[in-house]
Amino acid sequence: MLSRTRCVSRAFSRSLAAFQKGNCPLGRHSLPGVSLCQGPSYPDSRKIVIDSSSIFSVRCFRTTAMCKDDVITVSTPAFAESVTEGDVRWEKAVGDTVAEDEVVCEIETDKTSVQVPSPAHGVIEALLVPDGGKVEGGTPLFTLRKTGAAPTKAKPAEAPPAAPKVEPAVSAVPPPSAASIPTQIPPVPSPSQPPASKPVSAVKPTAAPPLADPGAGRGLRSEHREKMNRMRQRIAQRLKEAQNTCAMLTTFNEIDMSNIQEMRARHKDAFLKKHNLKLGFMSAFVKASAFALQEQPVVNAVIDDATKEIVYRDYIDISVAVATPQGLVVPVIRNVETMNYADIERTISELGEKARKNELAIEDMDGGTFTISNGGVFGSLFGTPIINPPQSAILGMHAIFDRPVAVGGKVEVRPMMFVALTYDHRLIDGREAVTFLRKIKAAVEDPRVLLLDI
């Protein structure tokens, strides 16, 4: 008897101490407490009869496992220096359960889209910015209530058990025979009533509904509108600024791709085996451009309109234009003058993969001293690219087509590519531009020029 009383008293002490340590009084976990009472019991209580004179009522104190910091506010990540704001596009809604690192929204900036993931498992309580709203770095985006565990996918509702098929009851009365004799005479219509049936000649065939003309909807003229995203607006603004600022002029040449194609066909397997990379034509043009930029540093320079100075860059960062569903992006290959073919191909592969996954950061596209745009992948034969400001020149590559050319006094069919160089005539004269393009032509047609540095 005494030991039982001690146990009850010890349980009460532990429960009371645990209750005092709880942060909030409303929760999901229950702690047992004991109180001596003679009056009415509580709904969640149990009575323990020790003896006929003492009745102990065991109550449940509810505490919480949720702390005050379980609701967090997620803000916009910091942008690069060249980006000030962006537009929000929500991927989730209020009440959605999200896992850790799951994308909640995307912020579309002038240059790229920044994904905002969930910092923890939880449920979205509120969206603090409307869809399409403008935000700056550090702007609160949404509130998240952490649940502390990965959200489990809801199991598909099980189909209710099929009701047991009810077997038709066997009637004690046998079914009537097919040739049963009627016991009543059918009523005869009176002469005053017209017969319900019509003669066959009076029945007119019902006209079939006219079939829809298959070409009825072909002449419709409709249109719809879509809001320009920030990237497209920025591209339009920059290209128009380039037209209004630069004195753009384009010079052309053509390149015989026979030698570079032969070199690629001969060494592509060994190149793939050693570097685990495919050998393409872009690396040859990037390397040839770096070689020509070193020979003609004015093409790698830029005019500072604020100070009216010419800025000569001693490094070569080549931007490679990549088309994405969101728009044209130009990731930068840095310090190309120190790279070989394998380094260039590796960097192009990494940047291209990030562009396809929409994972390019602002840092991947900042800077650049010269741009290469390859419209040949889409079959372009000829074109005049527009300068990517604040650069001073851009090289346009085009598709390779077999054309008859004069070689050694004879007409031969060779794989030929037209190339175009658009440059800012305020800074670059025609002599430098033509010499630059001829250097690229020589380095691509005979890569040994790069080795001999001639």
Side-chain angles (χ1 to χ4, degrees), residues 270-329:
F271 189 88
L272 177 62
K273 183 178 180 180
K274 180 175 182 179
H275 302 288
N276 196 25
L277 295 167
K278 293 182 178 180
L279 180 59
F281 296 128
M282 182 59 76
S283 56
F285 278 89
V286 171
K287 189 63 180 176
S289 298
F291 173 71
L293 287 170
Q294 289 176 314
E295 294 290 327
Q296 298 292 332
V298 68
V299 183
N300 200 47
V302 65
I303 295 178
D304 188 345
D305 292 317
T307 62
K308 305 302 180 182
E309 296 176 342
I310 300 175
V311 181
Y312 290 90
R313 275 80 67 97
D314 299 327
Y315 54 89
I316 297 175
D317 293 347
I318 294 183
S319 305
V320 179
V322 178
T324 66
Q326 289 78 21
L328 189 69
V329 295

Side-chain angles (χ1 to χ4, degrees), residues 179-192:
S180 57
I181 301 175
T183 57
Q184 295 181 355
I185 301 175
V188 179
S190 61
S192 61

Side-chain angles (χ1 to χ4, degrees), residues 204-220:
K204 297 182 179 180
T206 304
L211 297 177
D213 187 5
R218 293 179 182 176
L220 296 178

Side-chain angles (χ1 to χ4, degrees), residues 19 24-31 44 59-64:
F19 176 76
C24 305
L26 300 176
R28 300 180 180 178
H29 301 285
S30 300
L31 297 174
D44 296 335
R59 294 181 60 194
C60 292
F61 297 109
R62 294 189 178 273
T63 62
T64 180

